[in-house]
Amino acid sequence: MNFMNKEEALSFYKQYRDKCNAYQLAETTIFFDMSTIAPENGSDYRIKMMSLLGGEAFDYQTAPENIEKLEEMSKMDLGEIMNEEIRQVLKELHRISKLPRDFYLYMQELTAKGELAWKKAKKEKDYTLFKDTLKELIAMKKKAYGYYGYDKTLYDAMLDDYETGMTIEKYDIFFNCIKERLVPFIKKLQKEGKKIDDQPLHQIFDIEGQEKVMDVLKDYMNFNPKECYMGLSAHPFTCSFSLHDVRITNKYVEDSLVSSIFTIIHEYGHALYMMHVDEKLEGLYISGSMTSGMHESQSRFLENYIGKRKSFWVNNFSKVKEIFPDQLKNIAFDDFMEMINVSQPSLIRTEADELTYPLHILIRYELEKEMINGHIDMDHLDQIWADKYEEYLGVRPQDASEGILQDIHWSDGSFGYFPTYALGSAFGAQFFKAMKKDIDVDVALAGNHFSLIEDWLREHIHQYGALYKANEIIEKVCHEPFDPNIYIDYLIDKFSKIYDI
């Protein structure tokens, strides 16, 4: 079918996108509900209904007449935004349209079941309860990519899906840089650095009090309850329903005050990225198709480069101290700052300190490569995981819950996603370097002007959504290509000062 003109093409696309978004809104709502408040015993029925809904969405998105119209639009000059919109939509449709409908529905159902299997196994601390599902998820993904087709290796294709242009070769260079520079530094710090005791932050902090701390942070970070909502879940995450409806989740750990603190700051980094997209992109695919590395750059940016600075806490610490006077009465401000920046090998990635965090990702990256290549013993993967933690971090999980089952990502088949956590952290260092040239970050934070941080991120990064690739954003914002050594230099400089080495 040929369009008479540009207006007719854009009219069709608006109707098409609106219907796709309606399906997505329904699926996202069910997912958020299922991950937060839905009763466990209703899961089987929900999964079946989600599968039916997903099937209808699949049929509509991949209808030959719709793809034909989109193909026609790709030959028109619709302007920078719509040209990129149609390119990305067609790229995705060309992939999923290669999947047989029954297999697509099977994928939807298996990933939903995968999360339930993971939750059960994690709760019972038993890898064997998840092992077979994990094998099936890997087999499912391999079959899916067989339908998609790919140029390089299978794992290269998976990596590219989460961060465009990234390959095993590029990640190997990145992680080797971390191995060569950070691992020796971490060992030196452990041997020569001064001792920092953060145990006062691991007393019992009741949930009611932690909720009040969340209110303090929400107020400081201009959290708008009319546009952003916080719930609770086993594994914190962020969901976008629209530019004006973004939802995050948190979790409370009674013997760790910093857990919920840095979880909300991290997830709010994701949320700001979603809420700051330019209004003219509302409803478009590119309003929410940012790569994982870019998204993690924003969550890790807020969590570490902003949330762990003295200037962030100079006014907030006293408010937290008022909420927990008994636990924090003997902790001076400077001591608190050292405690929240303490570096020590740990088992849980989401609780890991800023310095050792990339080693957690390195472990997952090395395991994923072998899992996808079929060169690893899946039946004893939990033990291989434990061995790697002992090798790289000098700690060993006592059970699968604090080991291989701690993360949700493999349960929905997100193979290739983990490396973006470390990559995003590195992107964040480069963005922070650029921000400091434009505004005095510490003056802004200490003066309770968090909006200055928001405004800079909106102007330089968030407003574009997925209009530009990560490397294009970095060049545009930082006026230089991506350089992982900026990240490593930042970490070594920061922790050398903290630990007096």
Side-chain angles (χ1 to χ4, degrees), residues 39-57:
E40 183 178 348
N41 289 350
S43 60
D44 288 344
Y45 182 79
R46 284 193 303 273
I47 289 172
K48 288 178 183 178
M49 296 305 103
M50 287 180 72
S51 180
L52 287 172
L53 190 63
E56 284 197 9

Side-chain angles (χ1 to χ4, degrees), residues 6 32 61 79 88 95 134 165 200 289 375 461 492:
K6 176 180 175 180
F32 187 85
Q61 287 176 297
Q88 288 194 27
R95 284 162 52 88
L134 180 58
S289 60
H375 298 153
I461 301 169
I492 291 175

Side-chain angles (χ1 to χ4, degrees), residues 3-32:
F3 291 112
M4 294 297 293
N5 52 48
K6 176 180 175 180
E7 287 69 28
E8 185 179 351
L10 293 175
S11 177
F12 152 74
Y13 189 71
K14 185 180 187 311
Q15 294 177 26
Y16 174 80
R17 191 79 242 146
D18 282 349
K19 190 164 183 178
C20 290
N21 288 340
Y23 280 119
Q24 184 177 4
L25 179 63
E27 291 175 336
T28 303
T29 302
I30 296 170
F31 169 79
F32 187 85

Side-chain angles (χ1 to χ4, degrees), residues 103-158:
F103 182 73
Y104 178 81
L105 296 181
Y106 160 72
M107 287 180 66
Q108 298 290 98
E109 191 168 343
L110 180 60
T111 52
K113 287 181 177 178
E115 182 177 346
L116 295 176
W118 167 76
K119 282 182 177 178
K120 179 177 174 62
K122 179 178 171 64
K123 184 178 180 181
E124 299 189 22
K125 304 179 180 181
D126 187 352
Y127 170 64
T128 63
L129 297 177
F130 181 61
K131 176 181 64 178
D132 291 339
T133 302
L134 180 58
K135 290 179 183 178
E136 190 176 356
L137 284 161
I138 293 172
M140 175 199 76
K141 278 295 188 177
K142 287 182 175 180
K143 190 170 183 179
Y145 278 87
Y147 287 119
Y148 298 152
Y150 47 90
D151 297 329
K152 295 186 178 181
T153 71
L154 174 58
Y155 194 51
D156 276 320
M158 291 177 170

Side-chain angles (χ1 to χ4, degrees), residues 227-243:
E227 299 203 343
C228 194
Y229 167 82
M230 188 186 84
L232 299 175
S233 66
H235 189 105
F237 64 95
T238 303
C239 268
S240 175
F241 293 69
S242 74
L243 299 188

